[in-house]
Amino acid sequence: MTNTGSHPARYTDAEGQPTLDNWQEGPHNRWTFAHLGELIPTATIARRFPAAPATAAERLDTLELPDLEERLEATYTDAFLVLQGGQVIAEYYRAGYSPDHLHLIMSVSKSLCGLVLGALIDTGTVDPSAPVLDYIPELAASAYKEATVQHVLDMALHLDYSEDYLDPSSEVQTHDRSAGWRTRTEGDPQDTYAFLTTLTGNGTVGEFQYCSANTDVLAWIIERVTGLRYPDALSKYLWSKLGADLDASITVDSSGFGFANGGVSCTARDLARVGQLMLDGGMAPGGRVVSERWVSSILAGGDPSAMPESSFTALYSSGSYTRQWWCTGNERGNVTGIGIYGQYLWLDPSTHSVIVKLSTWPEPDSDHLHELQNRLLLDVSRALDALTTETESKETAA
């Protein structure tokens, strides 16, 4: 067993952790009977039946894009929502989905983690210029030994980590197995904490390399400085302040560590609320999440010179990445959270709008589908220009 230090306990009134062999026995059952989903797969018993309409629910006419529904279907859309000025003006759900359905948002989860860490940086609890080892000394033998928190936030360090989701020998698949997302194989680290200690690299910093492990390091830092499990920190510093309709969920590994880099599920409407707080300068209905300065630093974009050639820069030549968000650098200033299989949380600051698109592409990554989807998001953004102008004209006339 790898020693990764102390971690926030799932519950504090029992020694050890619950397992499949002891969860029904006291004192573990004082906790497990209310948290069974962390140990055994569970299914939802919907409060409405049928849970979704037989045909896709759609309200798209406002955008005046005549082929919009066909384009949504061509890009495997499950849920699509446009929020302008805090109001839902367009919405679509494919058959089998409804506004109440939680949907896995994959790496859009990273952007949520970035906001939680931003809240802790704003209060001085975390110093972004400090070495990662100041918070997690257990990573001293890993690729993080020379990195600062800011390097990890911006994914600006080299790691020997393949993000090839379809390669069984890739580090991202080992990462998944350690987190309980795939069947474990002999020799896999016992949990995510242990997996992170195994990562190597050449020690260079300053150039962008997309690596899902970085977000889990941030979540480990969050746990270490708050004393909270990551799911609880995500609730305290973000989700509880959104005015969300429903609880979100996050997958956890055998140790109870939340899969911060890609394990969050939520509704399209509640994810749009995350985008709204960004457009509102970090303020949510339940109070401030992050400072206006933190939001402005994201909307301004990161360093394009740190971004190597990639599918993202092929779409946006001035693209960058900062604080767990993708920044297009285009004339509209669009910023987005992106997840594999077609998840997007798209901000359009010029029209004060948020677009959520949750999808199930047949493959994790596709240049073709990314191009179609980004063209769609840009066309919707441009359609919002006309709506904004129309609204402003009516207000002037009044």
Side-chain angles (χ1 to χ4, degrees):
M1 295 280 288
T2 302
N3 182 5
T4 56
S6 61
H7 306 293
R10 281 171 158 144
Y11 55 105
T12 58
D13 54 352
E15 292 185 8
Q17 291 294 303
T19 68
L20 287 175
D21 297 321
N22 67 19
W23 69 267
Q24 298 180 66
E25 304 163 6
H28 299 294
N29 58 8
R30 300 302 301 275
W31 183 84
T32 57
F33 279 24
H35 300 86
L36 193 57
E38 290 204 25
L39 292 171
I40 299 174
T42 58
T44 299
I45 302 171
R47 67 185 185 275
R48 297 190 183 96
F49 187 84
T55 57
E58 54 103 347
R59 179 160 57 106
L60 300 174
D61 292 347
T62 306
L63 295 173
E64 297 185 356
L65 288 172
D67 60 346
L68 179 54
E69 187 169 351
E70 290 78 8
R71 294 171 73 181
L72 291 173
E73 292 171 354
T75 51
Y76 302 90
T77 306
D78 299 322
F80 172 81
L81 182 143
V82 180
L83 195 69
Q84 186 176 47
Q87 301 298 314
V88 177
I89 64 166
E91 199 168 17
Y92 164 96
Y93 298 92
R94 75 164 174 88
Y97 274 83
S98 76
D100 289 342
H101 270 100
L102 304 190
H103 193 290
L104 183 62
I105 63 173
M106 289 293 188
S107 288
V108 180
S109 305
K110 293 178 170 68
S111 301
L112 308 189
C113 184
L115 290 173
V116 175
L117 194 69
L120 297 172
I121 289 173
D122 283 337
T123 60
T125 307
V126 174
D127 178 0
S129 66
V132 169
L133 298 189
D134 282 5
Y135 302 101
I136 314 293
E138 293 85 355
L139 292 174
S142 76
Y144 294 98
K145 60 186 177 183
E146 303 295 339
T148 67
V149 174
Q150 191 68 53
H151 289 139
V152 180
L153 260 173
D154 294 342
M155 298 206 185
L157 67 152
H158 174 271
L159 293 108
D160 298 322
Y161 186 105
S162 167
E163 195 93 13
D164 186 341
Y165 307 103
L166 302 179
D167 179 4
S169 66
S170 67
E171 283 77 13
V172 73
Q173 283 214 11
T174 305
H175 194 174
D176 280 356
R177 294 194 302 271
S178 300
W181 273 41
R182 298 177 187 269
T183 302
R184 291 178 58 83
T185 61
E186 186 176 355
D188 284 339
Q190 72 258 22
D191 55 28
T192 309
Y193 300 117
F195 169 76
L196 296 174
T197 68
T198 69
L199 293 176
T200 59
N202 64 21
T204 60
V205 296
E207 183 174 291
F208 174 78
Q209 177 194 336
Y210 188 76
C211 175
S212 289
N214 289 325
T215 310
D216 288 339
V217 169
L218 299 178
W220 193 350
I221 292 171
I222 289 166
E223 287 194 341
R224 189 59 57 86
V225 301
T226 63
L228 298 171
R229 297 176 65 203
Y230 179 70
D232 295 330
L234 189 56
S235 170
K236 177 178 179 178
Y237 292 99
L238 176 62
W239 210 258
S240 65
K241 297 184 178 184
L242 293 178
D245 291 329
L246 294 171
D247 294 341
S249 68
I250 187 170
T251 66
V252 297
D253 66 15
S254 60
S255 68
F257 183 56
F259 205 38
N261 81 82
V264 174
S265 295
C266 64
T267 68
R269 291 180 178 181
D270 286 342
L271 185 58
R273 288 178 163 92
V274 177
Q276 187 64 48
L277 84 85
M278 292 286 288
L279 296 179
D280 290 342
M283 184 66 74
R288 181 162 294 283
V289 174
V290 289
S291 64
E292 288 189 47
R293 180 179 177 182
W294 186 261
V295 173
S296 296
S297 67
I298 294 170
L299 297 181
D303 179 7
S305 67
M307 179 75 73
E309 291 185 11
S310 66
S311 58
F312 189 71
T313 52
L315 290 171
Y316 302 106
S317 59
S318 298
S320 62
Y321 189 91
T322 188
R323 295 161 175 80
Q324 305 286 291
W325 292 80
W326 296 89
C327 310
T328 67
N330 66 3
E331 71 281 356
R332 302 188 66 89
N334 295 124
V335 167
T336 183
I338 303 176
I340 57 172
Y341 294 98
Q343 325 316 319
Y344 271 75
L345 171 58
W346 180 271
L347 310 183
D348 191 57
S350 63
T351 62
H352 207 70
S353 301
V354 180
I355 305 171
V356 171
K357 188 177 186 299
L358 304 176
S359 318
T360 39
W361 295 353
E363 52 191 314
D365 226 1
S366 163
D367 289 348
H368 172 66
L369 287 171
H370 272 301
E371 184 177 356
L372 289 180
Q373 193 144 291
N374 276 266
R375 194 181 307 151
L376 170 61
L377 293 165
L378 287 168
D379 284 349
V380 172
S381 298
R382 295 183 187 108
L384 292 166
D385 286 336
L387 290 177
T388 302
T389 300
E390 181 180 333
T391 300
E392 291 174 347
S393 297
K394 289 180 179 178
E395 290 175 351
T396 301

